[in-house]
Amino acid sequence: HDDPAGDGGLAALDILSVANFVNYFGKQDNIDDVEVSPILIEKGPNSETKVAIYGLGNIRDERLYRTFQDKKVRLLRPSENKESWFSILVLHQNRIAHSQKNYIHEQSLDNFLDFVIWGHEHECLITPSASAVGEFHITQPGSSVATSLSAGESKKKHIGVLEILRDQFRLKPIPLTTVRPFVMREIVLSEETELEGAEMSQVMEFLEKTVHSMIKEASEERAGGHPMHPLIRLKVDYTGFSTVNPHRFGARFVGKVANPTEILLFHRKKVAGTKTTVRKAVDVEDLTTGDYRPEPLDNTRIEDLIEQYLGSSIEGGGLGILLEHELNLALHTFVEKDEGKAIQEFVDKTLIATQKFLKREDPEKTISIEGIEELIQQKMEKDREKILREKAEEDNIFPVKTSNEEERGEEDGENGEDRVL
């Protein structure tokens, strides 16, 4: 489950678990020292098939990344016949590298594992694939419904039945037939021969015809399933053309699609800036003595721009109640995961947290606006200092080993002890 953050670490899954609707396992109370005990299952004549299921619930990726690097994640193995158990890890973290430390790499996982069920990612990759760095296989079931209008969500949704016999397994994918159909395409208007020299009305007609074909494709997908309006997403590269009003265009499909106002997504090719240069003959001597280094690339990051224009170092103190680091994460979610409400949800969450903070303070300090501003400023300074400390700790998670330490590490590995992550 995504980062349980209620009082006492409670989440919706706790309620479902108490009501016996789900078996909730893998919740961690100490994220700085994670110890996972498996659920052990034996079945068959003489218990010939033994399965150990490890669960690791969602932890903020940056924190779990640091915990892995500090060797503070331990998967406890059965004390007897360790190699006879088929080990499964159920993981709920980022698999795709959204930033340097905002995901979990397969290399962090213990090599004694046989099978990994990777949650959190929404794209359905149900067919098991061999790990590139370990001896285990990975399945990524994905989300059961489309939660955003992205390419990964448009793939057909599946669940799977895992069959295990001793150290062999087989995963049977089962397509979900009650999921709302989602069809996504991308077109480039300049590459469509029938639109050469076309007027705007002709472009509208072409887009409308394309959407109708997508609706037909969606209706064929849901044949035999529950009738429901499909999700349609058409990405349009309109370089050399004008755009149309998506809302006005979507009005033509009200009652035919589930997202009439979000059918079209316009974008243009990015054209690199050109500079006028004068070529001249260059002598061989000039090639060895002249300076022909390429111009430096523009490596400006959005994080730098936020700090430059909204950071605490600018005149006026920057943002009032929003932390720059948290705003970066929300913006990253908005862009990379195409979650349109990410920034609004971040602002609302911060506003509610600030209001609760002020209610806990001495009422005499919150009578005036100046007092409220001073309390908020003090809170922001403490939060920024906490983030800086965490970043400093993350930057020091790769200590340089001396030759003696490396020798001791090699000796420990030869003792046959279980590897501790």
Side-chain angles (χ1 to χ4, degrees):
H1 184 266
D2 286 340
D3 194 14
D7 292 337
L10 295 178
L13 281 178
D14 291 284
I15 308 299
L16 295 175
S17 178
V18 171
N20 292 325
F21 286 113
V22 297
N23 293 320
Y24 185 19
F25 68 102
K27 184 176 181 179
Q28 300 297 325
D29 297 322
N30 185 2
I31 61 177
D32 294 320
D33 189 8
V34 178
E35 189 173 270
V36 183
S37 299
I39 298 174
L40 304 179
I41 303 174
E42 298 183 17
K43 192 174 181 181
N46 300 320
S47 300
E48 62 177 351
T49 299
K50 300 180 179 181
V51 179
I53 305 177
Y54 298 85
L56 185 56
N58 183 269
I59 300 174
R60 187 172 175 178
D61 290 283
E62 293 88 346
R63 296 295 301 272
L64 185 58
Y65 179 94
R66 184 176 63 187
T67 307
F68 268 116
Q69 297 299 331
D70 288 342
K71 313 296 183 185
K72 292 296 182 64
V73 179
R74 295 181 296 279
L75 306 184
L76 305 181
R77 303 185 67 181
S79 57
E80 298 180 0
N81 301 322
K82 297 177 182 179
E83 302 304 325
S84 65
W85 291 86
F86 187 89
S87 300
I88 301 174
L89 173 63
V90 184
L91 184 67
H92 192 100
Q93 302 290 151
N94 281 340
R95 186 180 180 187
I96 299 174
H98 300 290
S99 65
Q100 185 178 0
K101 301 174 182 178
N102 194 26
Y103 76 112
I104 302 302
H105 195 280
E106 295 175 18
Q107 192 173 1
S108 301
L109 305 182
D110 206 317
N111 204 38
F112 76 80
L113 294 169
D114 298 292
F115 196 74
V116 177
I117 301 175
W118 207 302
H120 187 64
E121 297 292 349
H122 286 204
E123 183 177 359
C124 181
L125 302 173
I126 193 69
T127 303
S129 59
S131 171
V133 296
E135 298 180 1
F136 48 85
H137 286 73
I138 301 174
T139 181
Q140 182 178 301
S143 60
S144 58
V145 295
T147 58
S148 63
L149 299 176
S150 59
E153 295 279 19
S154 64
K155 293 187 177 180
K156 195 163 183 63
K157 304 294 185 181
H158 293 79
I159 60 173
V161 176
L162 181 61
E163 299 177 347
I164 303 171
L165 178 61
R166 291 186 289 273
D167 60 347
Q168 302 296 317
F169 73 91
R170 177 174 63 183
L171 182 66
K172 290 183 176 180
I174 301 175
L176 299 177
T177 59
T178 58
V179 178
R180 186 184 298 277
F182 178 20
V183 178
M184 185 172 185
R185 287 187 194 172
E186 185 169 0
I187 60 173
V188 181
L189 295 181
S190 59
E191 296 179 358
E192 301 294 336
T193 55
E194 60 183 285
L195 294 180
E196 292 183 6
E199 297 181 355
M200 200 63 211
S201 59
Q202 294 173 294
V203 175
M204 287 277 287
E205 183 180 348
F206 173 79
L207 295 176
E208 185 176 355
K209 182 174 66 175
T210 303
V211 172
H212 276 298
S213 69
M214 296 171 69
I215 294 175
K216 182 179 179 181
E217 179 183 340
S219 63
E220 293 173 352
E221 283 186 8
R222 70 167 183 263
H226 290 261
M228 61 180 71
H229 297 321
L231 291 168
I232 302 295
R233 186 69 150 182
L234 181 60
K235 299 180 68 175
V236 183
D237 183 340
Y238 70 101
T239 305
F241 292 80
S242 299
T243 62
V244 300
N245 188 312
H247 293 267
R248 187 176 301 170
F249 178 85
R252 305 181 181 196
F253 299 94
V254 173
K256 298 179 181 179
V257 302
N259 59 321
T261 61
E262 299 176 311
I263 295 175
L264 299 180
L265 178 63
F266 289 100
H267 66 95
R268 287 190 298 180
K269 291 181 179 178
K270 293 183 179 180
V271 180
T274 58
K275 294 183 179 180
T276 304
T277 57
V278 179
R279 295 181 177 273
K280 63 179 181 179
V282 181
D283 295 334
V284 176
E285 294 182 0
D286 292 338
L287 291 174
T288 58
T289 59
D291 187 3
Y292 294 99
R293 291 174 295 181
E295 296 182 1
L297 297 175
D298 185 4
N299 292 324
T300 304
R301 302 181 306 161
I302 188 65
E303 294 89 342
D304 300 329
L305 294 176
I306 290 178
E307 178 60 33
Q308 179 180 352
Y309 294 102
L310 302 174
S312 58
S313 58
I314 68 172
E315 183 178 356
L319 296 170
I321 65 173
L322 303 179
L323 289 171
E324 296 82 2
H325 176 71
E326 301 295 335
L327 178 58
N328 284 333
L329 295 177
L331 184 61
H332 179 83
T333 303
F334 175 80
V335 174
E336 296 294 335
K337 297 185 178 181
D338 198 20
E339 295 186 10
K341 297 182 180 180
I343 297 178
Q344 182 62 49
E345 290 175 352
F346 158 66
V347 173
D348 293 342
K349 180 180 177 182
T350 304
L351 182 60
I352 292 173
T354 304
Q355 291 171 343
K356 289 182 178 179
F357 164 76
L358 293 174
K359 289 179 180 179
R360 292 194 300 265
E361 293 297 316
D362 187 351
E364 294 185 359
K365 296 181 181 179
T366 58
I367 294 178
S368 63
I369 296 177
E370 292 78 9
I372 293 175
E373 291 178 346
E374 183 178 355
L375 287 173
I376 292 177
Q377 184 177 0
Q378 293 174 359
K379 178 179 181 297
M380 291 284 287
E381 290 175 356
K382 291 181 180 179
D383 291 341
R384 289 191 178 106
E385 290 176 359
K386 180 181 178 181
I387 291 173
L388 289 175
R389 286 197 303 270
E390 291 180 353
K391 286 185 177 180
E393 292 175 359
E394 291 175 0
D395 292 338
N396 294 325
I397 61 178
F398 295 104
V400 179
K401 289 186 177 181
T402 63
S403 58
N404 292 334
E405 289 175 335
E406 291 178 351
E407 290 176 0
R408 287 197 299 270
E410 293 175 359
E411 291 175 359
D412 292 341
E414 294 172 357
N415 290 335
E417 297 178 354
D418 292 335
R419 184 165 70 90
V420 177
L421 298 179

